[in-house]
Amino acid sequence: MIHHVRRPGAGPIVLFVPGLGMTSQSFAHTTAGLGPGYDVVTVDLRGHGSSPTPPPGWTLDDAAADLAQVIDRLDLHDVTLVGWSLGATVTYNYLERYGTDRVSRLVSVEMSPYLLREEGWEHAAFGGLDAFGALHATQQQWADPDRYLTALVENCFAAGADPEPALTQLLLADSLKTSRLALLALWSGVLTQDWRERIGALTLPTLLVHGAKSRIFPTEVGKWLLGALPDARLEMFSESGHALFLEEPGRFVRVLRDFVDGTAGA
């Protein structure tokens, strides 16, 4: 069972799924900002934070199964899934495999449906990640994961920004605990997943949230997703990068509340 924490509240259930090398602590400011009017659940993916190291052969499908187990164990219904970066891909896998019986709405934060560059596709990670770059990242994850994770945290913030040390420390302290096996399993898994033709099958109300100054996804991938999803809306954060819920925390909480409350009963 992956590590999860529930803070019961009086209103809708919001479940947060962090991205590669990140933990539930990434959302500490957000969950506090939501206040007692929301029933909040946070999870750590396997090999991240306080969750156990995954067994050999663990995959993104298994990560989705872990999420399903938490939802079942806590008997959650009418859930809003909030997935950040690779965590968004975990939510896509969950919805494809388990459907929408328990989940009513989705918040996809800073993710592309396909991470590699190819002819006609401009929304790769970092704007142009190719097979060589992906291989280099994989090698670094194994040989020097601390260096890889440190660079990943630095790239979470807006291009040209000078974030407060407390923000980077919030992410880095827990990130450096991530197991190499988990990094490699999730990274290799997401590289092989192509959601461009599949994501349109996600028909539930979806909020797309992207940072206008993102270094991880510097293209207008949010607009592409808006056109691909049948029931989506897009919120751009003009002063943020990849970690917009830390860079513009007040606005992120307001946008999230408005979406959840505005789609209740939809």
Side-chain angles (χ1 to χ4, degrees):
M1 187 71 168
I2 59 173
H3 176 75
H4 59 280
V5 175
R6 185 178 192 179
R7 191 206 66 198
I13 299 168
V14 185
L15 193 161
F16 292 87
V17 185
L20 182 68
M22 304 300 166
T23 76
S24 55
Q25 288 301 309
S26 307
F27 299 113
H29 287 73
T30 304
T31 57
L34 284 174
Y38 296 83
D39 193 343
V40 174
V41 180
T42 57
V43 301
D44 288 337
L45 299 173
R46 296 251 189 134
H48 293 62
S50 299
S51 285
T53 299
W58 182 74
T59 67
L60 271 171
D61 281 345
D62 295 321
D66 287 340
L67 186 59
Q69 186 179 23
V70 170
I71 291 172
D72 289 344
R73 179 73 63 86
L74 298 179
D75 194 25
L76 304 180
H77 297 268
D78 193 25
V79 177
T80 299
L81 281 181
V82 182
W84 175 35
S85 195
L86 184 139
T89 305
V90 174
T91 67
Y92 306 161
N93 278 269
Y94 170 89
L95 290 166
E96 186 175 69
R97 291 188 65 192
Y98 300 100
T100 57
D101 287 348
R102 300 292 191 98
V103 177
S104 300
R105 58 199 70 80
L106 172 67
V107 181
S108 178
V109 182
E110 271 281 303
M111 192 53 184
S112 174
Y114 186 56
L115 296 192
L116 292 175
R117 185 183 68 191
E118 62 179 34
E119 186 175 355
W121 179 246
E122 61 182 355
H123 302 303
F126 301 101
L129 183 71
D130 58 15
F132 178 80
L135 177 61
H136 176 73
T138 304
Q139 291 171 333
Q140 190 177 64
Q141 288 168 12
W142 181 255
D144 194 352
D146 286 5
R147 182 180 178 187
Y148 173 84
L149 290 165
T150 300
L152 181 63
V153 168
E154 291 173 352
N155 279 309
C156 278
F157 295 93
D162 185 20
E164 297 179 7
L167 291 182
T168 57
Q169 290 168 8
L170 174 71
L171 294 182
L172 188 58
D174 280 341
S175 291
L176 292 177
K177 302 174 185 176
T178 308
S179 78
R180 285 188 292 189
L181 182 59
L183 280 177
L184 291 168
L186 288 173
W187 174 247
S188 61
V190 76
L191 286 175
T192 62
Q193 291 210 339
D194 185 347
W195 282 88
R196 289 175 293 181
E197 298 294 329
R198 298 154 62 191
I199 202 161
L202 304 183
T203 59
L204 73 177
T206 301
L207 173 65
L208 303 164
V209 190
H210 288 263
K213 298 180 179 179
S214 177
R215 289 186 275 184
I216 306 292
F217 296 112
T219 67
E220 293 186 326
V221 65
K223 289 185 178 180
W224 187 95
L225 287 165
L226 182 64
L229 285 156
D231 187 6
R233 64 203 71 182
L234 172 64
E235 288 284 345
M236 294 297 302
F237 282 62
S238 60
E239 301 303 316
S240 293
H242 193 57
L244 44 84
F245 47 86
L246 291 174
E247 298 169 277
E248 297 182 66
R251 183 178 173 218
F252 182 79
V253 169
R254 290 193 299 273
V255 166
L256 180 57
R257 282 176 173 167
D258 288 347
F259 173 69
V260 174
D261 296 347
T263 54

